Amino acid sequence: MARRDLGSMLGGDIAVAGPPAPQVEKPAPTAPTADVAPTAARVSAPAAQPEAEPQDVRSVPRWLTYERKETRIRPDQLEWVEAQRKELNQRRQGAGERLTDNTLIRVALDLLKQHQGELHGVTEDQLRKSLGLTD
């Protein structure tokens, strides 16, 4: 099904006040080095405006600084991550930041990165076993 914009769904044009939203640019690819930490995406002003000064990254929501990556997960993984997100958000009782499925996935990836030296194998099952996962 084709997506429609908000203006067409409401039956008219929608005017948005304020400056246009900042665009997130990927950094230019560089040769990877073992001792250099990866850089975050850089934020710049939209192309229509002259570049007077760089956009303050703190004024952009953090999620806009992340790279988009689609992934396929099993139904049990999806159910688990959704249940954990709901439970953690209920426990925080409004304190801190809203946690999302993507938050938990990023934390899981950070944990996997910490144990990258233990990863061995050429199949998903072998990789799981190398980390001590049995299911």
Side-chain angles (χ1 to χ4, degrees):
M1 181 166 107
R3 298 178 97 182
R4 299 185 328 186
D5 67 7
L6 182 59
S8 67
M9 290 190 301
L10 296 176
D13 291 333
I14 302 294
V16 178
Q23 296 176 348
V24 177
E25 296 177 2
K26 290 184 181 180
T30 59
T33 59
D35 59 347
V36 176
T39 59
R42 288 176 275 168
V43 177
S44 67
Q49 296 177 349
E51 241 182 90
E53 57 187 59
Q55 175 84 21
D56 185 3
V57 174
R58 291 173 292 178
S59 67
V60 177
R62 186 172 22 172
W63 67 270
L64 283 177
T65 66
Y66 297 141
E67 296 292 327
R68 183 171 185 81
K69 176 66 178 164
E70 184 177 321
T71 185
R72 301 274 180 169
I73 60 176
R74 299 185 315 260
D76 65 300
Q77 292 171 322
L78 179 60
E79 290 171 16
W80 182 87
V81 79
E82 288 174 343
Q84 288 299 307
R85 172 195 27 95
K86 289 176 184 176
E87 181 181 330
L88 290 168
N89 277 321
Q90 286 175 350
R91 275 196 271 166
R92 73 180 179 91
Q93 297 179 347
E97 61 188 39
R98 180 178 67 96
L99 303 172
T100 66
D101 295 351
N102 285 327
T103 305
L104 294 174
I105 292 167
R106 284 191 300 272
V107 169
L109 286 171
D110 287 337
L111 182 61
L112 185 59
K113 280 175 54 179
Q114 266 189 344
H115 294 277
Q116 67 185 354
E118 301 168 33
L119 276 174
H120 302 287
V122 294
T123 66
E124 184 173 344
D125 285 339
Q126 291 173 348
L127 293 171
R128 292 173 54 75
K129 287 178 183 173
S130 72
L131 293 172
L133 301 172
T134 56
D135 292 340

